[in-house]
């Protein structure tokens, strides 16, 4: 069977997915790899374990007589870097983007390069410490200079996995353009601070093509260059939907993508958790972010405890419009300080005791969350597009999807059952079919 293999490297699970020529999944293998700690005791990916896992799985796939692998690509989480020495061995742990960034180093950076807001606007990247992966190289340069001097090539994680598969070292627009603080959306090049520090010399070259031929013995395998996972998940939509749309990628984070609005950010957008991404071709994408899934889970746990119901009670709560007509106390967030459209610290607590039942409280939780979401959507120009696609876990939530459709009556709103959007996007990008249709996976939401 002719297949396309995609290595999809998530924070929690590492997997590969095999697609046939119709982009149907024929095999999936997933495994959890335990974390270790870095030299400071901070949890991090076990780079050696991950490296061996990828090499072993790839070697097994190449030898499997059931499959004729015609193409391979990688999707992986962003803001993570692997620094290779002259022997192409990792020099450091795969530092977590959650690791705190030293305040004294932050002051040093901005005293050298100027106003944080200006740099954030130019790079499309809110100042987020290690989550700005470019700052990880800056941090290494000044805290571990001996290690930094040994770095020959730095690869973002998806491109490191690709290197393990093919031996090719490249940089990719989607990894460079996802809140890294590396890329200037004004100059469409590395930002001036990157060049002044010489950091761009550590990064692998950015190639204009979308694929190359990897040789495994006497057979050629078409290979992509690896993709940032969020940008990869956008690809099936960009290929199949020709009219302007906004994609809501829902989960722990809700990230709202508008690839039809690629203007530089304004200060107003930046202050409300907007950022720029890059498509694989290097064009801009405007995005906004909301810690919606985390807030949802936190408040659901409070509801379940107060009303003494099962923790997953909400999965069976049907939409009831009458509940939403009642007056209720204002909704206050608990997990959104420093993120979302209202990042100010919140000192008030949402009063669950004001509700008569878990069902009533849950309706108003979703009402409060979607009111915040509407602000985030407006920030990325949702009123300028014709359709909204909801992807991820919340696409199956009737209350959530109905509230969105009610708020945007002039839009087509679709809930999409595309559970492998990230892997599928990587497969589509490397194989480049002339057309792709996933309309059968879309369910239009009636307000």
């Amino acid at each position: 069977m002719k297949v396309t293999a995609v290595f999809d490297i998530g924070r929690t699970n590492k997997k590969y997915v095999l697609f046939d020529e119709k982009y149907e999944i024929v095999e999936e293998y997933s495994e959890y790899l335990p974390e270790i700690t870095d030299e400071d005791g901070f949890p991090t990916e076990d780079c050696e374990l991950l490296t061996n896992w990828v090499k072993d799985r790839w070697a097994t796939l190449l030898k499997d007589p059931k499959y004729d692998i015609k193409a391979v690509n990688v999707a992986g989480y962003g803001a993570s870097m692997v620094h290779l020495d002259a022997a192409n061995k990792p020099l450091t742990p795969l530092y977590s983007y959650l690791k705190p960034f030293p305040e004294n180093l932050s002051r040093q950076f901005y005293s050298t390069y100027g106003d944080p807001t200006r740099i954030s606007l130019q790079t499309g990247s809110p100042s987020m410490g290690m989550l700005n992966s470019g700052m990880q190289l800056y941090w290494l340069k000044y805290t571990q200079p001996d290690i930094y001097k040994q770095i020959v090539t730095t690869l973002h994680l998806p491109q490191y996995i690709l290197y393990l598969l093919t031996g090719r070292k490249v940089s990719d627009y989607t990894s460079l353009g996802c809140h890294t603080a590396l890329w200037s959306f004004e100059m469409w090049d590395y930002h001036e601070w990157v060049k002044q520090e010489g950091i761009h010399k550590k990064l692998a070259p950015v190639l204009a093509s979308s694929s190359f031929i990897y040789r495994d013995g006497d057979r050629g395998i078409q290979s992509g260059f690896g993709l940032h996972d969020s940008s990869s998940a956008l690809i099936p939509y960009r290929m199949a939907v020709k009219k302007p749309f906004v994609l809501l990628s829902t989960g722990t984070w809700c990230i709202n993508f508008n690839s039809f609005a690629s203007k530089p950010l304004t200060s107003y957008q930046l202050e409300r958790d907007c950022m720029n991404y890059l498509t694989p071709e290097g064009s801009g994408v405007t995005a906004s972010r909301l810690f919606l899934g985390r807030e949802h889970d936190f408040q659901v746990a409070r509801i379940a405890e107060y009303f003494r119901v099962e923790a997953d009670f909400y999965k069976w709560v049907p939409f009831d419009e009458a509940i939403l007509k009642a007056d209720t106390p204002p909704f206050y967030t608990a997990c959104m300080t420093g993120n979302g459209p209202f990042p100010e610290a919140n000192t008030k607590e949402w009063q669950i005791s004001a509700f008569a039942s878990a069902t009533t409280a849950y309706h108003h939780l979703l009402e409060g969350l979607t009111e915040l979401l509407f602000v985030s959507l407006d920030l990325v120009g949702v009123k300028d597009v014709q359709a909204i696609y909801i992807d991820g876990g919340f696409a199956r939530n009737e209350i959530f999807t109905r509230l969105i459709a009610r708020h945007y009556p002039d839009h087509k709103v679709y809930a999409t059952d595309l559970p492998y959007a990230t892997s599928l996007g990587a497969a589509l990008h490397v194989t480049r079919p002339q057309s792709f249709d996933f309309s059968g996976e879309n369910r239009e939401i009636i307000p």
Side-chain angles (χ1 to χ4, degrees):
M1 181 185 292
K2 295 178 181 180
V3 296
T4 296
V6 174
F7 280 77
D8 189 342
I9 308 300
R11 284 276 304 182
T12 304
N13 292 313
K14 324 302 171 191
K15 65 183 177 184
Y16 68 74
V17 183
L18 302 183
F19 294 92
D20 65 15
E21 293 178 287
K22 295 181 179 179
Y23 299 98
E24 299 289 338
I25 293 174
V26 295
E27 185 178 329
E28 177 196 2
Y29 180 89
S30 180
E31 192 169 345
Y32 167 77
L33 301 182
E35 290 186 328
I36 57 171
T37 56
D38 63 21
E39 66 270 14
D40 298 320
F42 200 87
T44 188
E45 188 87 63
D46 187 333
C47 191
E48 182 178 1
L49 182 62
L50 175 61
T51 296
N52 292 333
W53 183 89
V54 171
K55 288 181 174 180
D56 290 346
R57 299 283 79 74
W58 184 226
T60 300
L61 281 174
L62 289 173
K63 294 175 184 176
D64 194 326
K66 297 195 301 292
Y67 301 119
D68 178 11
I69 299 175
K70 291 297 185 182
V72 65
N73 208 353
V74 177
Y77 63 88
S80 300
M81 290 179 152
V82 180
H83 312 285
L84 303 177
D85 64 12
N88 294 317
K89 300 296 183 184
L91 281 161
T92 71
L94 207 167
Y95 293 111
S96 171
Y97 56 68
L98 299 175
K99 187 180 177 74
F101 193 84
E103 290 186 15
N104 65 322
L105 207 57
S106 182
R107 288 193 297 269
Q108 173 185 301
F109 178 85
Y110 290 114
S111 66
T112 305
Y113 295 108
D115 178 40
T117 299
R118 180 183 63 83
I119 293 174
S120 291
L121 289 172
Q122 291 169 341
T123 61
S125 308
S127 181
M128 297 184 286
M130 293 290 236
L131 200 55
N132 303 133
S133 59
M135 300 303 289
Q136 296 178 26
L137 273 164
Y138 184 85
W139 170 74
L140 269 178
K141 183 176 181 179
Y142 290 99
T143 62
Q144 301 184 53
D146 292 339
I147 294 291
Y148 181 83
K149 289 175 184 176
Q150 296 177 56
I151 297 174
V152 174
T153 308
T154 290
L155 300 171
H156 277 92
L157 179 61
Q159 285 68 51
Y160 175 65
I161 303 302
L162 181 83
Y163 165 72
L164 296 178
L165 301 176
T166 68
R168 192 78 175 265
K169 290 185 282 188
V170 299
S171 290
D172 153 73
Y173 282 120
T174 66
S175 292
L176 291 175
C178 66
H179 52 74
T180 63
L182 289 166
W183 193 258
S184 170
F185 284 81
E186 290 183 343
M187 302 303 295
W188 231 252
D189 194 1
Y190 288 117
H191 193 273
E192 194 59 35
W193 82 262
V194 178
K195 295 179 179 179
Q196 288 191 37
E197 293 288 342
I199 282 174
H200 64 300
K201 297 177 182 178
K202 302 288 188 182
L203 300 168
V206 183
L207 302 183
S209 59
S210 61
S211 65
F212 66 96
I213 301 300
Y214 159 67
R215 292 289 174 187
D216 174 52
D218 59 354
R219 66 171 165 171
I221 299 175
Q222 192 172 357
S223 173
F225 293 139
L227 297 162
H228 174 235
D229 53 7
S230 294
S231 298
S232 185
L234 182 58
I235 289 172
Y237 296 87
R238 284 174 54 86
M239 291 190 69
V241 183
K242 302 308 178 185
K243 294 181 179 180
F245 66 91
V246 164
L247 171 65
L248 279 65
S249 179
T250 66
T252 301
W253 286 97
C254 179
I255 304 179
N256 313 302
F257 295 99
N258 185 350
S259 58
F260 301 88
S262 57
K263 297 177 182 178
L265 296 179
T266 65
S267 298
Y268 185 82
Q269 288 174 304
L270 184 68
E271 292 166 359
R272 287 156 181 79
D273 218 357
C274 294
M275 60 197 74
N276 287 132
Y277 284 73
L278 287 173
T279 67
E281 297 76 29
S283 59
V285 177
T286 301
S288 60
R289 203 172 63 139
L290 191 69
F291 213 9
L292 190 140
R294 177 69 184 92
E295 184 73 40
H296 172 273
D297 293 350
F298 177 85
Q299 300 293 0
V300 162
R302 290 184 63 215
I303 294 171
E305 181 180 11
Y306 183 84
F307 290 101
R308 298 185 179 183
V309 294
E310 296 293 327
D312 60 350
F313 76 94
Y314 64 93
K315 294 180 180 179
W316 296 276
V317 175
F319 179 79
D320 187 341
E321 189 168 358
I323 292 176
L324 296 172
K325 294 178 179 178
D327 291 333
T328 59
F331 178 70
Y332 297 109
T333 63
C335 306
M336 294 191 184
T337 299
N339 65 78
F342 302 107
E344 302 81 8
N346 192 1
T347 58
K348 297 182 180 180
E349 184 178 81
W350 183 45
Q351 296 301 311
I352 294 174
S353 59
F355 301 101
S357 67
T359 295
T360 304
Y362 186 69
H363 272 73
H364 288 285
L365 168 61
L366 268 294
E367 185 178 43
L369 290 175
T370 52
E371 288 293 336
L372 295 171
L373 176 62
F374 300 149
V375 179
S376 282
L377 287 171
D378 290 346
L379 286 167
V380 297
V382 69
K383 293 177 181 177
D384 299 326
V385 304
Q386 301 172 1
I388 298 170
Y389 288 83
I390 307 169
D391 176 85
F394 282 89
R396 297 183 289 275
N397 188 307
E398 182 190 10
I399 302 173
F400 181 83
T401 55
R402 291 278 294 274
L403 286 170
I404 293 174
R406 281 169 27 134
H407 188 79
Y408 295 106
D410 297 329
H411 289 64
K412 293 284 190 180
V413 177
Y414 300 97
T416 302
D417 185 16
L418 207 61
Y420 296 94
T422 299
S423 301
L424 177 61
L428 289 169
H429 188 252
V430 67
T431 53
R432 294 286 179 174
Q434 291 185 347
S435 62
F436 176 69
D437 180 19
F438 69 110
S439 57
E441 311 299 331
N442 294 325
R443 174 170 53 88
E444 184 173 357
I445 306 300
I446 306 302

Coordinates of all heavy atoms in Angstrom, one line a residue, residues 288-340:
S288 N -5.6 35.2 17.4 CA -5.8 35.6 18.8 C -5.9 34.4 19.6 O -6.2 33.3 19.1 CB -7.1 36.5 18.9 OG -8.2 35.8 18.5
R289 N -5.7 34.6 20.9 CA -5.5 33.4 21.8 C -6.4 33.6 23.1 O -6.5 34.7 23.6 CB -4.1 33.3 22.2 CG -3.6 32.0 22.7 CD -2.1 32.0 22.8 NE -1.7 33.0 23.9 CZ -0.7 32.8 24.7 NH1 0.0 31.6 24.7 NH2 -0.4 33.7 25.6
L290 N -7.0 32.5 23.6 CA -7.8 32.6 24.7 C -7.6 31.2 25.5 O -7.7 30.2 24.9 CB -9.3 32.7 24.3 CG -10.3 33.0 25.4 CD1 -10.1 34.4 25.9 CD2 -11.7 32.9 24.8
F291 N -7.4 31.3 26.8 CA -7.2 30.1 27.6 C -8.5 29.4 27.9 O -8.8 29.1 29.1 CB -6.4 30.5 28.9 CG -5.5 29.5 29.4 CD1 -5.1 28.3 28.7 CD2 -4.9 29.6 30.6 CE1 -4.2 27.4 29.2 CE2 -4.0 28.7 31.2 CZ -3.7 27.6 30.4
L292 N -9.3 29.2 26.9 CA -10.7 28.8 27.0 C -10.9 27.4 27.6 O -11.7 27.2 28.6 CB -11.4 28.9 25.7 CG -12.9 28.8 25.7 CD1 -13.5 29.8 24.7 CD2 -13.3 27.4 25.3
G293 N -10.1 26.5 27.2 CA -10.3 25.1 27.7 C -9.8 25.0 29.1 O -10.5 24.2 29.9
R294 N -8.8 25.6 29.5 CA -8.3 25.6 30.9 C -9.3 26.2 31.8 O -9.6 25.7 32.9 CB -6.9 26.3 31.0 CG -6.4 26.4 32.4 CD -6.0 25.0 32.9 NE -5.6 25.0 34.3 CZ -6.4 24.8 35.3 NH1 -7.7 24.5 35.1 NH2 -5.9 24.8 36.5
E295 N -9.9 27.4 31.4 CA -10.9 28.0 32.2 C -12.1 27.2 32.3 O -12.7 27.0 33.4 CB -11.2 29.4 31.6 CG -12.2 30.2 32.4 CD -11.6 30.8 33.7 OE1 -10.4 31.2 33.6 OE2 -12.3 30.8 34.7
H296 N -12.5 26.6 31.2 CA -13.7 25.7 31.2 C -13.5 24.5 32.2 O -14.4 24.3 33.0 CB -13.9 25.1 29.8 CG -14.9 24.1 29.7 ND1 -14.6 22.7 29.9 CD2 -16.2 24.1 29.3 CE1 -15.7 22.0 29.7 NE2 -16.7 22.8 29.3
D297 N -12.4 23.9 32.2 CA -12.1 22.7 33.0 C -12.1 23.1 34.5 O -12.6 22.4 35.4 CB -10.9 22.0 32.6 CG -10.9 21.3 31.3 OD1 -12.1 21.3 30.7 OD2 -9.9 20.9 30.7
F298 N -11.5 24.3 34.8 CA -11.4 24.7 36.2 C -12.8 25.0 36.7 O -13.1 24.6 37.8 CB -10.6 26.0 36.2 CG -10.5 26.6 37.6 CD1 -9.6 26.2 38.5 CD2 -11.4 27.7 37.9 CE1 -9.5 26.8 39.8 CE2 -11.3 28.2 39.2 CZ -10.4 27.8 40.1
Q299 N -13.6 25.7 35.9 CA -15.0 26.1 36.4 C -15.9 24.9 36.4 O -16.8 24.8 37.3 CB -15.6 27.2 35.5 CG -14.8 28.5 35.5 CD -14.7 29.2 36.8 OE1 -15.3 28.8 37.8 NE2 -14.1 30.3 36.9
V300 N -15.7 23.9 35.5 CA -16.6 22.7 35.5 C -16.3 21.9 36.8 O -17.2 21.4 37.4 CB -16.3 21.8 34.3 CG1 -16.7 20.4 34.5 CG2 -17.0 22.4 33.1
A301 N -15.0 21.9 37.2 CA -14.7 21.2 38.5 C -15.4 21.8 39.6 O -15.8 21.1 40.6 CB -13.2 21.1 38.6
R302 N -15.4 23.1 39.6 CA -16.1 23.9 40.7 C -17.6 23.5 40.7 O -18.2 23.3 41.8 CB -15.9 25.4 40.6 CG -14.5 25.9 40.8 CD -14.5 27.4 40.8 NE -15.3 28.0 41.8 CZ -16.0 29.1 41.7 NH1 -16.0 29.8 40.5 NH2 -16.7 29.6 42.6
I303 N -18.2 23.5 39.5 CA -19.6 23.2 39.4 C -19.9 21.8 39.9 O -20.9 21.6 40.7 CB -20.1 23.4 38.0 CG1 -20.0 24.9 37.5 CG2 -21.6 22.9 37.8 CD1 -20.3 25.1 36.0
A304 N -19.1 20.9 39.5 CA -19.3 19.5 39.8 C -19.2 19.3 41.4 O -20.0 18.5 42.0 CB -18.3 18.6 39.1
E305 N -18.2 20.0 42.0 CA -18.0 19.8 43.4 C -19.2 20.5 44.2 O -19.7 19.9 45.1 CB -16.7 20.5 43.8 CG -16.4 20.4 45.3 CD -15.1 21.1 45.7 OE1 -14.5 21.8 44.9 OE2 -14.7 20.9 46.9
Y306 N -19.6 21.6 43.7 CA -20.7 22.3 44.5 C -22.0 21.6 44.4 O -22.7 21.4 45.4 CB -20.9 23.7 43.9 CG -21.9 24.6 44.6 CD1 -21.6 25.2 45.8 CD2 -23.2 24.6 44.2 CE1 -22.5 26.0 46.5 CE2 -24.2 25.4 44.9 CZ -23.8 26.0 46.0 OH -24.8 26.8 46.7
F307 N -22.4 21.1 43.2 CA -23.7 20.4 43.0 C -23.6 18.9 43.2 O -24.6 18.1 43.0 CB -24.2 20.7 41.6 CG -24.7 22.1 41.5 CD1 -23.9 23.1 40.8 CD2 -25.9 22.5 42.0 CE1 -24.3 24.4 40.7 CE2 -26.3 23.9 41.9 CZ -25.5 24.8 41.3
R308 N -22.4 18.4 43.5 CA -22.1 17.0 43.8 C -22.6 16.1 42.6 O -23.4 15.2 42.8 CB -22.8 16.6 45.1 CG -22.2 17.3 46.3 CD -22.8 16.8 47.6 NE -22.2 17.6 48.7 CZ -22.5 17.3 50.0 NH1 -23.3 16.3 50.3 NH2 -21.9 18.0 50.9
V309 N -22.1 16.4 41.4 CA -22.4 15.6 40.2 C -21.1 15.1 39.7 O -20.0 15.4 40.1 CB -23.1 16.5 39.2 CG1 -24.5 16.9 39.7 CG2 -22.3 17.7 38.8
E310 N -21.2 14.2 38.7 CA -20.0 13.6 38.1 C -19.2 14.7 37.4 O -19.7 15.7 36.9 CB -20.4 12.5 37.1 CG -21.1 11.3 37.7 CD -20.2 10.5 38.6 OE1 -18.9 10.5 38.3 OE2 -20.7 9.9 39.6
A311 N -17.8 14.5 37.4 CA -16.9 15.5 36.8 C -17.2 15.7 35.3 O -16.9 16.9 34.8 CB -15.5 15.1 37.0
D312 N -17.7 14.7 34.6 CA -18.0 14.9 33.2 C -19.4 15.1 32.9 O -19.9 14.8 31.8 CB -17.4 13.7 32.4 CG -18.1 12.4 32.8 OD1 -18.8 12.4 33.9 OD2 -17.8 11.4 32.1
F313 N -20.2 15.6 33.9 CA -21.6 15.8 33.7 C -21.9 16.7 32.5 O -23.0 16.5 31.8 CB -22.2 16.5 34.9 CG -21.9 18.0 35.0 CD1 -22.8 18.9 34.5 CD2 -20.7 18.5 35.5 CE1 -22.5 20.3 34.6 CE2 -20.4 19.8 35.6 CZ -21.3 20.7 35.1
Y314 N -21.1 17.6 32.1 CA -21.4 18.6 31.1 C -21.5 18.0 29.7 O -22.1 18.5 28.8 CB -20.2 19.7 31.0 CG -18.9 19.1 30.7 CD1 -18.4 19.1 29.4 CD2 -18.0 18.6 31.7 CE1 -17.2 18.6 29.0 CE2 -16.8 18.1 31.3 CZ -16.4 18.1 30.0 OH -15.2 17.6 29.7
K315 N -20.9 16.8 29.5 CA -21.0 16.1 28.2 C -22.4 15.7 27.8 O -22.6 15.5 26.6 CB -20.1 14.9 28.2 CG -18.6 15.2 28.4 CD -17.8 13.9 28.4 CE -16.3 14.2 28.6 NZ -15.5 12.9 28.6
W316 N -23.3 15.7 28.7 CA -24.7 15.3 28.4 C -25.7 16.4 28.7 O -26.9 16.2 28.8 CB -25.0 14.1 29.3 CG -24.2 12.9 28.9 CD1 -24.4 12.0 27.9 CD2 -23.0 12.5 29.5 NE1 -23.4 11.1 27.8 CE2 -22.5 11.3 28.9 CE3 -22.3 12.9 30.6 CZ2 -21.4 10.6 29.2 CZ3 -21.1 12.3 31.0 CH2 -20.7 11.1 30.3
V317 N -25.2 17.6 28.8 CA -26.1 18.8 29.0 C -26.6 19.3 27.6 O -25.8 19.8 26.8 CB -25.4 19.9 29.8 CG1 -26.3 21.1 29.9 CG2 -25.0 19.4 31.2
P318 N -27.9 19.2 27.3 CA -28.4 19.7 26.1 C -28.6 21.2 26.1 O -28.8 21.8 27.2 CB -29.7 19.0 25.9 CG -30.2 18.8 27.3 CD -29.0 18.5 28.1
F319 N -28.6 21.8 24.9 CA -28.8 23.2 24.8 C -30.3 23.6 25.2 O -31.2 23.0 24.7 CB -28.6 23.7 23.4 CG -28.8 25.2 23.2 CD1 -27.8 26.1 23.6 CD2 -29.9 25.6 22.6 CE1 -28.0 27.5 23.4 CE2 -30.1 27.0 22.4 CZ -29.2 27.9 22.8
D320 N -30.5 24.6 26.1 CA -31.8 25.0 26.6 C -31.8 26.5 26.6 O -31.3 27.2 27.4 CB -32.1 24.5 28.0 CG -33.5 24.7 28.4 OD1 -34.2 25.6 27.8 OD2 -34.0 24.1 29.4
E321 N -32.4 27.1 25.5 CA -32.4 28.5 25.4 C -33.1 29.3 26.5 O -32.7 30.4 26.9 CB -33.1 28.9 24.0 CG -32.9 30.4 23.7 CD -33.3 30.6 22.2 OE1 -33.7 29.7 21.5 OE2 -33.3 31.8 21.8
A322 N -34.1 28.6 27.1 CA -34.8 29.3 28.2 C -33.9 29.6 29.4 O -34.1 30.6 30.1 CB -36.0 28.4 28.7
I323 N -32.9 28.7 29.6 CA -32.0 28.9 30.8 C -31.2 30.2 30.6 O -31.0 31.0 31.5 CB -31.0 27.8 30.9 CG1 -31.8 26.5 31.3 CG2 -29.9 28.1 31.8 CD1 -30.9 25.3 31.4
L324 N -30.9 30.6 29.3 CA -30.1 31.7 29.1 C -30.8 33.0 29.2 O -30.2 34.1 29.2 CB -29.4 31.6 27.7 CG -28.5 30.4 27.5 CD1 -28.1 30.3 26.0 CD2 -27.3 30.6 28.3
K325 N -32.1 33.0 29.3 CA -32.9 34.2 29.4 C -33.0 34.7 30.8 O -33.4 35.9 31.0 CB -34.3 33.9 28.9 CG -34.4 33.7 27.4 CD -35.8 33.4 26.9 CE -35.9 33.1 25.4 NZ -37.2 32.8 24.9
A326 N -32.6 33.9 31.8 CA -32.7 34.3 33.2 C -31.5 35.3 33.5 O -30.4 35.2 33.0 CB -32.7 33.1 34.1
D327 N -31.8 36.2 34.4 CA -30.7 37.1 34.9 C -29.7 36.3 35.8 O -30.2 35.4 36.6 CB -31.3 38.2 35.8 CG -32.1 39.2 35.0 OD1 -31.8 39.3 33.8 OD2 -33.1 39.8 35.5
T328 N -28.5 36.5 35.6 CA -27.4 35.8 36.3 C -26.4 36.7 36.8 O -26.2 37.8 36.3 CB -26.8 34.7 35.4 OG1 -26.2 35.4 34.2 CG2 -27.8 33.7 34.9
P329 N -25.6 36.3 37.8 CA -24.4 37.1 38.2 C -23.4 37.2 37.1 O -23.3 36.3 36.3 CB -23.9 36.3 39.4 CG -24.3 34.9 39.2 CD -25.7 35.0 38.5
P330 N -22.6 38.2 37.1 CA -21.5 38.4 36.1 C -20.5 37.2 36.2 O -20.3 36.7 37.3 CB -20.9 39.7 36.4 CG -21.2 40.0 37.8 CD -22.6 39.4 38.1
F331 N -19.9 36.9 35.0 CA -18.9 35.8 34.9 C -17.5 36.4 35.2 O -17.2 37.4 34.6 CB -19.0 35.1 33.6 CG -17.9 34.1 33.4 CD1 -18.0 32.9 34.1 CD2 -16.9 34.2 32.6 CE1 -17.1 31.9 34.0 CE2 -15.9 33.3 32.4 CZ -16.0 32.1 33.1
Y332 N -16.8 35.8 36.1 CA -15.4 36.2 36.3 C -14.5 35.0 36.1 O -14.7 33.9 36.5 CB -15.2 36.7 37.8 CG -16.1 37.9 38.1 CD1 -17.2 37.8 39.0 CD2 -15.7 39.2 37.6 CE1 -17.9 38.9 39.3 CE2 -16.5 40.3 37.9 CZ -17.6 40.2 38.8 OH -18.3 41.3 39.1
T333 N -13.4 35.3 35.4 CA -12.4 34.2 35.0 C -11.5 34.0 36.2 O -11.2 34.9 37.0 CB -11.6 34.6 33.8 OG1 -10.9 35.8 34.0 CG2 -12.6 34.8 32.6
A334 N -10.9 32.8 36.2 CA -9.9 32.4 37.2 C -8.5 32.1 36.6 O -7.5 32.1 37.3 CB -10.4 31.2 38.0
C335 N -8.5 31.8 35.3 CA -7.2 31.3 34.7 C -6.7 32.2 33.5 O -5.9 31.8 32.8 CB -7.5 29.9 34.1 SG -8.2 28.7 35.3
M336 N -7.2 33.4 33.4 CA -6.9 34.2 32.3 C -6.1 35.5 32.6 O -6.0 36.4 31.7 CB -8.1 34.6 31.5 CG -8.8 33.4 30.9 SD -10.2 33.9 29.7 CE -10.8 32.2 29.3
T337 N -5.5 35.6 33.7 CA -4.6 36.7 34.0 C -3.4 36.6 33.1 O -2.7 35.6 33.0 CB -4.1 36.6 35.5 OG1 -5.3 36.7 36.4 CG2 -3.2 37.8 35.8
G338 N -3.1 37.7 32.4 CA -2.0 37.8 31.5 C -2.2 37.2 30.1 O -1.3 37.2 29.3
N339 N -3.4 36.8 29.9 CA -3.7 36.3 28.5 C -5.1 36.6 28.1 O -5.9 37.0 28.9 CB -3.5 34.7 28.4 CG -4.4 34.0 29.3 OD1 -5.6 33.7 28.9 ND2 -4.0 33.5 30.5
G340 N -5.5 36.4 26.8 CA -6.8 36.7 26.3 C -7.1 38.2 26.1 O -6.2 39.0 26.3

